[in-house]
Structure formats: C-alpha cells, structure tokens
Amino acid sequence: MKRIACVLSAALICAGLIACSAESGTKPFEELSADDIVSVSVSCTPPGVTVETDDEEKIEELVSLLSEQVIYEEDEKEYAGQSVVFTIYKTDGTETKVNAYNPQLIIDGVKYTTKSDPCDELSALGIEWADELSAGTMSNEEIQEMLASLPDDYDEADNFCYAIFNNGTVQGEEMYEEFIANAENGITDDVIIVRFTDEGDPIYTYLSYDGEEFYCVVDISRDKLKGDTEDYIEYSYKYIVSGGDYAFLVNDESITSYEQINGDDSIDYFILF
C-alpha cells in the first residue's frame, strides 16, 4: 500500500510540474546573445516593407526583447493582422525567422501561443525599424510593388497607414502627425496615406521626406473611374502645407494655406487629401 501511495504521489508531483511548466511557458531565446548575430532583416506585411540592419545597438535592443518572449503550446489556428518577421542571421551561418503575430509567436514556421505584451513590444520594434530604415531608400519600382500589395478593403488600415474613409472618418492620425513633426525637424521619414473613393476604391499614396524635398507615388490602379490615366503617378515638391483636414505639396514657400491655392490654376501644387 505504501508503494502504491508513493507511486501515486510521484505521479501527482510529475503532473503538477508538467502543468506548471505549461502554465509558465518557456523562453526560447533566453540564451541568445547579440554576439551571436551578424545582422537582422525585418519584413512588415502590410505594408510589404523589408529592411535590414547590422547596427549593434538595434541588435542588442532586439535581443533584449527576444529574451522576454514566452511561448506555450503549438497553435495551428489562422489569425488576421499585421505580420512582423525578423530574420536573424547568425555568426555560425544559420538563420532564424521570428514572426511577432500576436496571439502567436511563429518561430521558423512553427506557431506557438505566446505572452501578449512581449509579443506586442517585439512587433512594435519591427514596425519602428521599418519606418526608420525604409524612408527614402526604395526605388520607384519597389514603391509601386509595395503599394500594389496593399489590400483593397482593409478594416485595420490604421495599423500601417493614415486612412481617410469615404464617410469622413480617419484612422492612424498619429502616423501622419509623426511624419509632419519629423519633416519640420529635418528628419527623413515616410508615411502611407490611403483615401477611399465614394465607390469604395482605395487610392494609396506613398509620401517620403529626405531632408530636402517631399516625394510621393500615388497608386490609382484600383480607381474604377481613373479612365486612361496611368496606374502610378509620382511627384516631387519642396514644401508641405498641412491644415488638419487637408494637406498639399507645393514649391512656393509663400503658400501657407488651402485658401491660397483654391481655384488658382497658376500655382503648381498637389493635394494629398
């Protein structure tokens, strides 16, 4: 009887340890060091931007966040949202892909349920890198490919762009405001703006600032009323005028309000929204 009791007791302890382990999860990158990494690329989809860095401070920041990631059981469910994939290139020649796709952390294609807050922080870091490192670095062809990959109808457009819907509502204002603030301080940056027509067609605009001028590519390929106009149109201007509910590009520094350009065909400008 004592032997049976001991066996039962051991079994219960073992079961308890397994349950405790499942509840607490594991940290798959707890032993990872910045010295193990040569470089890191980040792909954010949408909007379909990929950047790469070997900056030591950035890698150390990434390693710090990775060390806090917690995974639990495997999870084969499909979720919708923004995918932020870090590809880590190591000194031993191997690479590891980590997709911060809350409520999942996907490691080399294997999906795990994960602890929410650390995963959100990892995703935010990837988006920050994409915003910072992609500004002004893409060619016109790359910009067109990126714009073409964006969705026709996206309910969570504020995840990656400044969205203006045909009912007058807006989302993602903070992204546009950050872009304007950076431009005012001479900091290179870029932003994606999407407007929806009365027919519900998206018109995407990629807008960048390189420290000297503003460059934009407008994707009207999905506008059913565009007629024979080219699918993509590009513009370059020296200044931006932003009045809260409107914004336009112009080359004349003396133009500071929408009232000055309204109805005046002699002024060279482009209305963003």
Side-chain angles (χ1 to χ4, degrees), residues 2 9 14 29 45 55 72 81 83 85 99 116-117 131 142 158 162 167 174 189 195 197 219 229 241-242 247 254 261:
K2 289 182 178 179
S9 176
C14 183
F29 302 106
T45 307
D55 183 88
Y72 303 96
S83 170
V85 181
N99 187 352
S116 180
D117 288 347
D131 287 344
E142 290 172 327
D158 60 323
Y162 178 51
N167 63 0
E174 68 283 351
D189 199 359
R195 294 178 291 118
T197 67
D219 174 6
T229 308
V241 179
S242 184
S254 68
I261 66 168

Side-chain angles (χ1 to χ4, degrees), residues 212-231:
E212 294 183 358
E213 67 177 8
F214 296 88
Y215 171 72
C216 70
V217 177
V218 185
D219 174 6
I220 61 171
S221 61
R222 285 162 277 193
D223 184 358
K224 298 182 182 67
L225 302 181
K226 77 179 186 69
D228 296 330
T229 308
E230 295 289 332
D231 288 343

Side-chain angles (χ1 to χ4, degrees), residues 34-75:
D35 294 334
D36 300 327
I37 299 174
V38 176
S39 64
V40 180
S41 71
V42 183
S43 298
C44 298
T45 307
V49 173
T50 299
V51 298
E52 186 169 350
T53 183
D54 59 2
D55 183 88
E56 292 181 2
E57 290 185 5
K58 282 183 167 56
I59 290 175
E60 288 175 358
E61 185 178 11
L62 172 63
V63 168
S64 177
L65 287 182
L66 284 172
S67 69
E68 297 302 317
Q69 301 304 308
V70 180
I71 59 172
Y72 303 96
E73 69 277 2
E74 291 187 25
D75 178 18

